[in-house]
Amino acid sequence: MTEQAQKYVGGGVPRKEDPALVTGKATWTDNIKLPGMLHFALLRSPMAHAKITNIDASEALAMPGVQAVYTAEDINNDMAAGLPCAWLVTEDMKSPVHQPLAKDEVKHLGDAVAVVVADDRYVAKDALEYIDVDYEELPVVTKMEDALKSDSPLVHEEFGTNECYTWPLATGDVDEAFKNAPVIVKERYIQQRLLPTAIECRAVVANPDPVNGGFTVYTATQIPHILKSVLAGICGVPEQKMRVVAPDVGGGFGSKLNIYAEEALAVVLARKLGVPVKWVEERSENYLATTHGRDQIQDLEIAATSEGKILGLKVKLLADMGAYLQIFTPGIPTFGGFMFPGVYDFENYSFECKGVFTNKTPTDAYRGAGRPEAAYGIERIMDSLAREVGVAPEEIRRRNFYEPFDEPTETPAGIQYDSFNLQGALDKVLELADYEGLRAEQKRRRDDNDPVQLGIGFSTYTEICGLAPSQVLAAVGLGGAGWEAATVRMLASGTVEVVTGTTPHGQGHVTSWSQIAADVLGVTPDDVEVLHGDTAISPLGRDTYGSRSLTVGGVAVHLAAGKVVEKAKKIAAHMLEAAEDDIEFENGTFSVAGSPDQNVSMATVAGEAFLGINLPEGMEPNLTEDSSFDPPNFTYPFGAHICVTEVDTETGFVKVRDYFAVDDCGPIINPIIADGQIHGGIAQGLAQAIYEEAIYDEDGNLVTGSMLDYLIPGAPEIPHFTLDRTITPSPSNPLGVKGIGEAGTIGSPPAAVNSVIDALSTHGVTHIDMPTSPMKVWTAIQNAKGERAGTRDADRSGRPAQATDNVDEKGSESL
Amino acid sequence: MRRIKVTVDGKTHEHEVEPRLLLIHYLREVLGIGGAHSGCDTSNCGACTILMNGESVKSCTVLAVQADGEDIMTVQGLAKNGEWHPVQTAFHEAHGLQCGYCTPGMIMATISLLKEKPNPSEEEIREGLEGNLCRCTGYENIVKAVKQAAGSPVS
């Protein structure tokens, strides 16, 4: 490939996306209005588990403005198949039938039972009140450990169990490693359930196409391409007649990475009624009907030498599936199973995950998707190990890091990390944070018995990014098709269209892909238009999730642009009557080596390729090239974070004072955008660590059912971030890039909780579960006062929704 | 139904509306102002923030009839003769937005904040925007944008 100096890549090019967004001219799905469009609303179950004995919609149907009311009987037969789960983690995994509307039984609060179609959304909502549903209450199970007991109520009677699957992974001889280990540390951590909360709720518009009999679906989604294939399949529409458009999408974080009931319903309703239909989610509905994140009970055991060198790691997870399996539900925790060994070089590892059904909203991908859970587990227990062997947290990590490497290296989980230099990242973050100064301040406060203690918490993490290698995805039960596609075409005017299969919703692909293409083609980013998000414009794509867009899709843009230059070079040689090998390309100009006056611009070559009059013998006209990039391996960004907290020992209040992060995601395309991704990621991780928790009561009611009750941190709760980076290129792709969208969310929760515990270490506190609310922190301090100092017993009570033995009062209070 | 007369972005409108119609839905559905967003329905997230007589209000918890006779400004009315408002420019230049969904509300809240406190400290900026939630930026560059718009030195 022709390589030339990078002019725009690596620079902070201001975002091309912004003008529409700062002036209010963006096209959100809810902004789409089509002639004759009707609105639909869903009646959702007020119970977590009940039989539906009767539904009477006659009163609702009689209301002015109501066009139709449908229940499962009217809708589900219109489906060719139910809502799919695409991740078959084991062959005997139990996968329940999941239709857009519940038929005989509702299985979680918010399960939809009927749909009203009306002239406007107020009328549709009003009519919901006039549908009478008779429910016969069934026993509810919300806690995983209860759900696995033999006398538990069953979410799906037909399976005879609430266990969805058990997935094991083992390498080396773990039992042998533990048998003679001088040090063994055992912990239980609770990964509380989270509500992803993209600020734009979901919305969908389906428009029947009178010409080809198909449909155009506009939807607030991260995955228009996957949705096109799947919606066509489950709704019985020929794939080529289905078009899906993701207009401007207001955040996703994994919660818009799914095939939702409302999207299928929109197609079915548009087909039934022959008119466009629209559904817009409300926030309280979002909290019930959009997938949740996390929700695991993690049991970890680590064996080590007396110097703290890891000998083996055992991990057992219970992972809450909720009531149904959405597209990736069962695979999120098992994906995390590959990441518990973290950045540490050891050999013996065993992992077992049980997926469990409960009467709650299904879980699925949420920023990090399995990896924040894993990083949290290993990074928390590394601190416990440090305490046990009596070394500093940074030292225990250093003793176990891999030596830096730049070629794929086998891990205890049987995958291959691409390139690491944790030592470099740790050194840099220690300096960035003035670590010595922080420890000195901590000592001062301790010596002074300051009621507000200082905490310094570490995490050194890695993550698995760039979901791609099709063969690997197939091997883990995810079907394959992990490639990403791009088309780069020079137009007759010398400007450029880049078509990408990625689907940005805040990540700035339009700007970054412009930079990549501009550098290869010798044009400016303003000369490049990036087209995306509409399957009619960008027919091939695998969409945006798992920090894959740059590492797979951005690379595809780079490769396609390279192919354009190769072809253009042949045309230039022909035009200049020179040998192709003698042609040089720089700054958008082809010239003959040694005779710079003999030259022709890329724009002129593009014009010639378009006209097709004077091309080399046998060459086809036009400068347009495709790439479908399928890399050989994942990428593994890594980093070292330090979270500095001030913990008020009298009130339990935690303030994050500073946050220092050194992240390594390989070479940077746009530092402004990359830093922005890190900022947002860290904030979302701090949100889990300190503030957020979705709480269900015993009856399966979501107690945190609106933003009034679910604490999303605002600007006062989030600190200023101090960032730096190291650059270790990945051998997995020609740009060496690794991905950065989830790094902050993965690195920050353990750093924050380790920090809070560090602040309280002289009080004897060794464990607090997330979120570290004032009540939990205060309770931990009080409990530690009453126990022997230095205890390492984890709080096993967990939170109401996630664990069982609430008889132990520790940590069981609400916020 | 009640008749209301509202000035929005410099243009006066008269409509018969249901008394229960929320101002955000009046702006979006009746007037077609897609730049006013709804994010939570409980006045927590601030995506719907607009200015009413120069004061920031959350239009998801104001009824359209309460806006009768009032002067409303949305993000779509800020640019003058194609020139962006300095706060819009600052959000762009400081990368104070990612998905952009909270941005119109954030911009309107910032305008209101800077009117009250022309040179806010970082703490005052964070406190001043506590009613506006952003899930993408971690607020870092929003704070930077507000400082820039206020003409304060930006670190």
Side-chain angles (χ1 to χ4, degrees), chain A residues 144-202:
Chain A
M144 287 187 277
E145 289 179 314
D146 287 352
L148 292 174
K149 288 175 184 161
S150 57
D151 60 349
S152 169
L154 295 174
V155 180
H156 301 281
E157 196 72 41
E158 67 274 22
F159 297 147
T161 173
N162 288 318
E163 184 182 317
C164 175
Y165 65 85
T166 298
W167 188 83
L169 172 73
T171 59
D173 191 338
V174 181
D175 290 335
E176 187 61 32
F178 272 72
K179 204 187 286 172
N180 299 313
V183 178
I184 292 177
V185 180
K186 196 172 172 180
E187 297 279 18
R188 165 171 281 208
Y189 303 128
I190 305 299
Q191 278 283 332
Q192 79 272 33
R193 185 174 272 249
L194 300 177
L195 306 175
T197 319
I199 304 296
E200 181 206 29
C201 290
R202 290 187 295 124

Side-chain angles (χ1 to χ4, degrees), chain A residues 512-523:
Chain A
S512 300
W513 290 195
S514 295
Q515 291 172 259
I516 292 170
D519 271 357
V520 179
L521 299 169
V523 298

Side-chain angles (χ1 to χ4, degrees), chain A residues 56-305:
Chain A
D56 179 359
S58 52
E59 254 190 286
L61 257 175
M63 289 174 65
V66 171
Q67 300 297 333
V69 181
Y70 298 120
T71 63
E73 284 187 31
D74 311 306
I75 293 290
N76 295 352
N77 289 340
D78 288 5
M79 300 285 293
L83 301 168
C85 171
W87 203 325
L88 194 68
V89 293
T90 61
E91 282 185 9
D92 62 351
M93 179 184 96
K94 295 179 176 57
S95 196
V97 173
H98 188 194
Q99 289 286 0
L101 296 179
K103 189 162 181 284
D104 302 316
E105 201 175 299
V106 290
K107 296 182 187 295
H108 68 87
L109 189 80
D111 217 354
V113 297
V115 56
V116 172
V117 189
D119 294 346
D120 78 38
R121 71 174 74 162
Y122 277 56
V123 174
K125 279 275 174 189
D126 284 347
L128 297 180
E129 304 285 325
Y130 292 88
I131 302 173
D132 284 333
V133 184
D134 295 333
Y135 293 103
E136 194 181 297
E137 227 171 309
L138 292 170
V140 170
V141 62
T142 59
K143 299 167 187 169
M144 287 187 277
E145 289 179 314
D146 287 352
L148 292 174
K149 288 175 184 161
S150 57
D151 60 349
S152 169
L154 295 174
V155 180
H156 301 281
E157 196 72 41
E158 67 274 22
F159 297 147
T161 173
N162 288 318
E163 184 182 317
C164 175
Y165 65 85
T166 298
W167 188 83
L169 172 73
T171 59
D173 191 338
V174 181
D175 290 335
E176 187 61 32
F178 272 72
K179 204 187 286 172
N180 299 313
V183 178
I184 292 177
V185 180
K186 196 172 172 180
E187 297 279 18
R188 165 171 281 208
Y189 303 128
I190 305 299
Q191 278 283 332
Q192 79 272 33
R193 185 174 272 249
L194 300 177
L195 306 175
T197 319
I199 304 296
E200 181 206 29
C201 290
R202 290 187 295 124
V204 57
V205 174
N207 189 24
D209 185 331
V211 178
N212 72 2
F215 299 88
T216 299
V217 178
Y218 304 88
T219 179
T221 186
Q222 299 172 228
I223 52 165
H225 297 90
I226 295 172
L227 199 54
K228 171 190 161 119
S229 307
V230 177
L231 264 190
I234 65 175
C235 296
V237 176
E239 190 179 359
Q240 77 278 15
K241 293 179 189 295
M242 181 68 81
R243 173 185 170 207
V244 177
V245 183
D248 286 308
V249 175
F253 316 112
S255 73
K256 291 173 180 167
L257 159 55
N258 231 304
I259 313 297
Y260 279 108
E262 297 82 4
E263 291 166 325
L265 270 173
V267 173
V268 169
L269 294 172
R271 179 165 57 196
K272 262 185 178 321
L273 299 166
V275 294
V277 296
K278 180 181 196 172
W279 170 78
V280 179
E281 192 178 50
E282 294 177 350
R283 180 59 64 187
S284 55
E285 204 174 11
N286 174 267
Y287 280 180
L288 298 176
T290 293
T291 54
H292 295 177
R294 317 284 189 253
D295 207 345
Q296 298 179 352
I297 300 174
Q298 310 178 321
D299 284 304
L300 280 80
E301 270 187 86
I302 198 162
T305 66

